[in-house]
Each structure stands twice: as C-alpha cells, then as structure tokens.
Amino acid sequence: MSEGALGKIYTDGEVIIKQDAAGDCMYVVQSGQVEIVQSTAAGEQHLNLLSAGDFFGEMALFEKEVRSATARAVGDAKVLKVDKKALFRRLQEDPLLATNLLQTMSHRIRALSKQLADHEADSR
Amino acid sequence: MKHSSELSVLDSFASLANEEEAELSLSNGSRVAVVGGGPAGSFFSFFLLKMAAAVDLQIEVDIYDPRSFAHCGPAGCNHCGGIVSESLVQILATEGINLPESVVQRGIESYLVHMDVGSVAIQNQAGEQRIAALYRGNGPREGGESRWESFDGYLQALAKKKGARVLHQLITNIHWRKGYPCLQFADQKEARYDLIAVASGVNSNFLRLLEDMPAGFEPPRTTRAYVCEFKSTEAEILRILGNSVHVYLLPIPRLEFAAIIPKGEFATVVMLGDDLDQELVHTFLNDPAVGASFPSNAVPCVCSCSPLINMGARKRPYADRMVLVGDSGVTRLYKDGIGAAFRTAKAAASTAVFQGISEQTFRKNFWPACQTITKDNAIGRFMFGTTGILKRFRFLRCVILRMAAREQAHTSRKPHMSSLLWNMFTGSAPYTEIFVGALHPGFIGNLTLNFVANMWPGKKRKEVS
Ligand SMILES: Cc1cc2nc3c(=O)[nH]c(=O)nc-3n(C[C@H](O)[C@H](O)[C@H](O)COP(=O)(O)OP(=O)(O)OC[C@H]3O[C@@H](n4cnc5c(N)ncnc54)[C@H](O)[C@@H]3O)c2cc1C
C-alpha cells in the first residue's frame, strides 16, 4: 500500500485514541506504524501493528460503545481522521463504500478466530 | 380475467422485453470504452473493473484520451484550481486510495477569507490536513523538473493497475450500428463497444457530437473561468500563503469569487465572474486586499487558461449502452467537481456491473445519484446568490467578519459562521446541509447579536481585525 500525504503527524508513543474514551470517527494510517494495545487485568496486551492503508477505530462508527483499545504511534506516524458524518452521508448514497471496511473487519474476525483456536489448542 | 391466448401474447412480449433487458448487460468478454481519461473516466474504469472482478466478470476497458499528463502546461492539464475536497479525501481513504506525497503539493489547514473590511482565518476543525492542493497535470509551463506528479495521471495509473488500457487517441465521432455504439478515430477507423462511458468534460467538442444522436443529448450550460499561475520560490510561497487557501469576497463589479491556492513554487489564481477579461483580472490583482496577501516577487501569469465550468446539465445523462459521467453529465455547482466526478462515475460503474446498461436501468439506479447533486445545486444556487447581496452591503461584510473572527478567537464557542464559510468555500458539505445550518436558532441569534454589536461605533473598531 502506498503512503499518503495528508492527515496529522503523531510522534513516537503519542496516543491517537485512548481505550474507554468515546469516539465518533475512524482513522486511516497514511505513513509509519501504529500499535493497537489493550489494557487488561493481566497488563497491556499488544493486539496489532498497523501500517499505511490500514484502518482503526472503525468500530466506533457502527456502535455507540467506547473505544475498545488504545492506538499509539510507533516512530513518527501520519494518520488521517475520517468523520462518521462524512462517511455516513456517503454510505446513504453508496452502500458499496462499506465494502473495504467490511473486508478489513472480516479479516480481523478471521485472525481472531485463528488466534482463539490456536490458544485453545495450546491450552489443551 | 384474461383470455388464455391474450395471456400468452402478453407473456411472449414480457419475455421478449426480458430478453432485451438481459442482452443489455455486461457479460464475460464485454468491451467498454471510456471517452476521456480525466478523474471521471479513471474513477469509472477503476470501479467498473474492481466491481467486475468481485463478481468474476471478465470485461475489457479502453480509456481514450489524447492528453498525456506527463506534459507541463496546458497540453498535460485539465485546467482547474486543483483542490481535492475534505470529503473526497476521506472517502478516497476509506476506498483504500491515499493521495501520495508525490501528488499532494500542499496539505491545506485553513481558509483565509479576505474582504475589503478585513480578513479572517477559518481553521479546519479536525485539526489536521485533510484538503489537498495539487496539479491536475504535470504543473505549469515554467515548471521544469518537478518532484510532483499529476493527479489525473495518478488516477489513470490506478485504473491501469486494475486492468484498463489507456489509448492516447482522440475520438472524433460516435454512431450506432445494429444497436451498438461505435467510436470513430482521426484516421476514420472505428471500434464497436458494448458500453460507452462519456467522461470528456465540458472543455472539448465531443459533447456536441452527441446532439445528433437519437437520445439528443444537449451539452450542459457552461460559463468561463480564469486560471493563472504565479511563480516564486517554494519558501516564499510558503512564507506568504502558508498552508492556506486565500479566498476573496471583494466588491469588484463582475467578479463573483476569486481564490489563491499555494502549490510548491507556484500560486494558482482562480477567478469566477461575468465576462472575465484582462481588465477584470488586473483590477483584482491590483486590489489592496490581494496585494497584502500575495507573494511580492512572484512572476505573474507564467501559465494561464480560461476553461469552461459546468453550470448545470440540460438532459438526463444516459441512454441504452451509454452513460455520461463527471462534468459531461451532472456535477456539483462551483465546488468539489472532482468529488462529483467520483460520485457519478462510481454510481454508473456499479449500475453497469450489477444492474445492466439499458436506459431504464440507468434511470432507476444511476439517475438518483445525479439527482441528489442537481437538487442540492438548486439550494447552492440560492446560497451563492446571497453573496451578491453581501457584496453590495459593506455593513453585512463587517458583521460576517466580526462573527467569524470571534468564533475563531474563542474556540469554546459553537462555530456557526465559521462552519458556514468553511463548508461553502471548501465544498465539504452539501449545500442543503449548509442552508439548514444557517436556519439554526444559534446561528440566527449570534448573527443578530453581531449585527447589533457592529452598530456600536466604539466596539466596531476594536473587534474587526
Ligand atoms: C477554473 C476551474 C477551477 C476548478 N477548481 C476545482 C477544484 O479546485 N476542485 C475540484 O474538485 N474541482 C474543480 N473544478 C471542477 C473540475 O475541474 C471538474 O469537475 C473535473 O475536472 C471533472 O472531471 P472530468 O473527468 O469529468 O472532466 P475533465 O477533467 O475535463 O476531463 C475530461 C478528459 O476528457 C478528454 N477528452 C475530451 N474530449 C475527448 C475526445 N474527443 N476523445 C478523447 N478524450 C477526450 C480530455 O482530454 C480530458 O482529459 C474546477 C473547474 C474550473 C473550470
């Protein structure tokens, strides 16, 4: 995926979205890397490392829940914010716009299912 | 009750109609021609091939355009201000298209509104660069070696990557043979296609050729704009214009709107108005409000053009096996023409792949997307009409400036006027939404307060800066 020029630069370790905070937008990584981490009782869990072209925070578009994880820059990262309003305005006219989002979400469910299966196999 | 023989006649007519309808769809091996490889043509080809691949439909797509976007100056350029709107940038990113650094010359953070009564900077509320300033071609005539690429060239490359063929040929005519559209080239040779997407814009004679067709397309109404490039150094352009688009609402007769857009070592001046001529251009450039915000050592007009701008379609832009996208069909009034090209091109592509290519199918599935734009344009026309009133009354300009300046200075306030100006100038929201925002009690209340406060002589001097 080629790198994008727009958005905002976040420096190494800077938090882009915080777990448990409210949110009404999603983000697209334009350049650099973004780490997704989740705080649990057992400590901080690394969930994913995203690079140019990857989305995050998209769950907040479809449900009214708080952010499920924290996203922070690894090195300098450029990230573009996509407003819920701008996206939903277009989705009304062009439902196919959701295809890319659905694809990403479906990849994530697949990866999670695999992780879960691996985890169960390990613990047996 | 119907007689049985009557039923069978009706049934056979129905099945005939269904067969015809079935024929008017794309199938494996279908050939599609796209006349024009600007944004509308490239977006159409990109999405047509992407959607066809998703349903395992194998089709051929040929994009015809004599223009090479590798050329500097008018030969490689589709004459425009070169702003990719905030809404389009976000939608493209959602589609997986992130405009690269090689194309974006400047990420825009704010719009500076200049009036004879003062200036105000309207900051992007998202607090980030979400508007792109770029060149449609390979930059102005005096550009020389540049590190930037053409936007139209970039989009064409995306379509090529999906499998489209780009042929640098001019289409000189179009006619129908046995129900199929045929394109004619300069050497009189012809090629038959299953579907033709017309994306020729309004700045060529191609649309005139469609007037004689059975569907009798009439080209859209147009008006002339003026674009010229000023050359300086990258550092000087950045120092004086910053990452801001400068827009001018000046009481100059015949001038409706003007903007200066920073790009690399150039600044693009765009003007809209009635009977734009050299005299009007000079009056604008010599206005004190312009002089104060413009690079002093810039070389004027190294490249200029007077392109046509689409002011409204006259006829429905489709027929059997033919669809008109982008400027050649329906576009947005004054703002975000590239965004409208994206919307109509994608709507036409999804109709062609998933529904069919008959006139009826386009009417049912493609036309509603165009209608959303045309209905919104009607509100836009009214809103732009009010700028005429604004230009006539200095007092009103002072009120608007005061209200926007105070909102920008106190970020805790709801930015009623700032949002209105931002959305009007950037084209980020539909005109209907802007209009509804202007009817908000908060907007009206604040406007009234600023109106009254502006009549207070002592305060007036202090507030307007
Ligand atoms: C002064 C001005 C400023 C503007 N500023 C902006 C702006 O800042 N932002 C924005 O979003 N929009 C802007 N617009 C609008 C924008 O330029 C158009 O909406 C956009 O270019 C439409 O894209 P298109 O692909 O439909 O047509 P075009 O960009 O006009 O492309 C048409 C293509 O078809 C080709 N062609 C024509 N005839 C033939 C033929 N016979 N055979 C083969 N090929 C052919 C041409 O070579 C061209 O490449 C501006 C317009 C003007 C006039």
Side-chain angles (χ1 to χ4, degrees):
Chain A
M1 176 65 69
S2 64
E3 298 197 335
L6 297 167
K8 181 176 167 184
I9 295 177
Y10 294 85
T11 53
D12 189 29
E14 196 175 345
V15 172
I16 306 162
I17 57 173
K18 209 167 162 33
Q19 186 173 337
D20 296 331
D24 63 350
C25 57
M26 71 160 199
Y27 296 82
V28 187
V29 184
Q30 301 293 299
S31 65
Q33 290 186 315
V34 172
E35 185 185 25
I36 310 293
V37 293
Q38 196 168 45
S39 306
T40 63
E44 195 178 86
Q45 301 275 318
H46 167 95
L47 295 185
N48 213 343
L49 186 66
L50 307 177
S51 52
D54 289 335
F55 304 114
F56 62 93
E58 74 281 1
M59 279 150 77
L61 298 177
F62 302 105
E63 30 177 55
K64 284 212 152 47
E65 299 287 320
V66 292
R67 301 280 189 199
S68 62
T70 293
R72 62 176 175 236
V74 179
D76 277 358
K78 201 175 243 182
V79 176
L80 183 93
K81 186 152 73 178
V82 177
D83 301 331
K84 186 174 184 165
K85 199 170 171 190
L87 196 71
F88 275 61
R89 202 191 276 140
R90 273 280 76 73
L91 273 174
Q92 241 185 348
E93 185 184 303
D94 170 23
L96 287 172
L97 180 62
T99 324
N100 258 10
L101 286 174
L102 288 175
Q103 236 167 30
T104 304
M105 288 164 115
S106 132
H107 282 318
R108 288 192 184 147
I109 294 172
R110 193 186 288 273
L112 275 175
S113 311
K114 190 173 174 297
Q115 264 178 20
L116 206 65
D118 290 349
H119 183 71
E120 272 182 17
D122 286 348
S123 58
R124 239 180 250 144
Chain B
M1 243 179 91
K2 276 178 192 151
H3 197 269
S4 65
S5 65
E6 205 182 321
L7 256 184
S8 66
V9 172
L10 280 179
D11 285 349
S12 50
F13 267 119
S15 68
L16 203 70
N18 282 344
E19 265 171 37
E20 269 184 18
E21 195 63 25
E23 248 184 58
L24 287 186
S25 62
L26 297 177
S27 53
N28 279 338
S30 287
R31 300 182 66 221
V32 180
V34 182
V35 183
S42 293
F43 281 134
F44 176 81
S45 312
F46 175 87
F47 285 113
L48 192 79
L49 286 159
K50 186 177 173 183
M51 292 169 192
V55 292
D56 294 326
L57 176 68
Q58 277 136 32
I59 53 172
E60 278 176 39
V61 176
D62 293 339
I63 303 177
Y64 289 99
D65 200 320
R67 213 181 281 280
S68 162
F69 299 113
H71 287 149
C72 286
C77 173
N78 275 326
H79 330 288
C80 145
I83 289 291
V84 180
S85 74
E86 198 177 15
S87 52
L88 184 58
V89 163
Q90 292 176 78
I91 297 310
L92 287 178
T94 314
E95 295 278 9
I97 303 172
N98 295 298
L99 299 179
E101 293 209 343
S102 57
V103 169
V104 177
Q105 303 219 350
R106 196 64 65 89
I108 299 299
E109 284 161 0
S110 62
Y111 267 57
L112 251 113
V113 185
H114 301 280
M115 298 189 254
D116 53 331
V117 293
S119 303
V120 60
I122 316 278
Q123 300 295 334
N124 180 350
Q125 280 173 41
E128 58 182 62
Q129 296 181 346
R130 285 203 302 201
I131 295 176
L134 42 76
Y135 276 123
R136 302 283 303 275
N138 199 15
R141 227 179 246 130
E142 301 279 316
E145 275 296 301
S146 154
R147 67 184 146 105
W148 285 290
E149 291 168 38
S150 137
F151 173 68
D152 287 19
Y154 166 75
L155 293 183
Q156 226 177 53
L158 289 180
K160 250 171 135 171
K161 228 167 143 183
K162 285 267 173 255
R165 267 197 320 167
V166 177
L167 299 140
H168 291 292
Q169 274 173 289
L170 179 81
I171 304 301
T172 54
N173 212 340
I174 177 167
H175 28 241
W176 249 247
R177 290 210 197 294
K178 294 186 183 150
Y180 285 86
C182 297
L183 294 181
Q184 198 176 69
F185 311 105
D187 59 5
Q188 304 298 314
K189 283 196 181 131
E190 283 187 11
R192 192 184 98 156
Y193 284 94
D194 296 288
L195 169 68
I196 291 190
V198 177
S200 59
V202 285
N203 281 292
S204 85
N205 287 327
F206 187 77
L207 292 181
R208 295 254 162 250
L209 301 173
L210 305 184
E211 282 179 304
D212 303 332
M213 285 188 2
F217 292 108
E218 261 183 277
R221 285 184 296 274
T222 52
T223 186
R224 253 182 218 290
Y226 178 75
V227 184
C228 76
E229 303 291 340
F230 279 62
K231 189 175 182 185
S232 184
T233 62
E234 214 174 317
E236 184 69 355
I237 298 275
L238 183 65
R239 187 181 71 77
I240 300 188
L241 298 176
N243 289 330
S244 306
V245 171
H246 294 245
V247 294
Y248 299 85
L249 282 179
L250 301 171
I252 299 176
R254 292 191 287 133
L255 179 69
E256 268 184 39
F257 167 84
I260 302 181
I261 304 155
K263 304 193 190 142
E265 52 182 356
F266 293 94
T268 305
V269 177
V270 179
M271 290 171 66
L272 286 173
D274 299 329
D275 301 324
L276 283 175
D277 53 20
Q278 283 308 315
E279 190 194 325
L280 187 55
V281 174
H282 280 120
T283 312
F284 168 70
L285 292 172
N286 291 326
D287 191 280
V290 181
S293 56
F294 203 53
S296 47
N297 64 351
V299 183
C301 297
V302 289
C303 196
S304 64
C305 59
S306 303
L308 291 171
I309 191 161
N310 178 326
M311 295 295 287
R314 277 193 269 231
K315 202 82 198 238
R316 293 189 176 186
Y318 49 79
D320 279 349
R321 299 189 181 281
M322 188 153 163
V323 63
L324 280 71
V325 291
D327 268 19
S328 32
V330 167
T331 190
R332 207 164 166 225
L333 182 72
Y334 292 136
K335 294 281 153 186
D336 195 21
I338 302 170
F342 170 90
R343 288 161 69 183
T344 55
K346 195 175 173 198
S350 67
T351 303
V353 171
F354 301 121
Q355 320 288 341
I357 52 173
S358 67
E359 187 201 335
Q360 209 184 338
T361 322
F362 283 126
R363 185 187 314 134
K364 209 168 135 207
N365 302 284
F366 163 69
W367 181 234
C370 301
Q371 272 180 312
T372 312
I373 300 174
T374 52
K375 283 179 189 160
D376 191 54
N377 283 348
I379 306 279
R381 210 155 272 132
F382 168 75
M383 302 223 27
F384 278 107
T386 56
T387 54
I389 304 174
L390 195 68
K391 273 170 56 179
R392 213 168 313 145
F393 298 104
R394 186 176 194 276
F395 180 73
L396 276 181
R397 296 194 292 278
C398 290
V399 173
I400 285 175
L401 185 76
R402 183 181 194 278
M403 186 165 160
R406 287 170 69 91
E407 286 172 0
Q408 291 297 312
H410 307 276
T411 44
S412 55
R413 286 181 192 202
K414 200 156 189 311
H416 294 287
M417 181 58 77
S418 306
S419 295
L420 183 138
L421 293 175
W422 177 263
N423 288 327
M424 278 300 275
F425 291 130
T426 62
S428 297
Y431 293 123
T432 318
E433 205 176 296
I434 307 174
F435 183 67
V436 170
L439 298 179
H440 189 278
F443 180 91
I444 296 171
N446 266 302
L447 189 69
T448 315
L449 277 178
N450 280 282
F451 203 83
V452 174
N454 206 58
M455 295 205 300
W456 225 261
K459 267 204 163 168
K460 190 161 63 181
R461 277 196 304 274
K462 226 164 70 185
E463 298 293 354
V464 176
S465 58

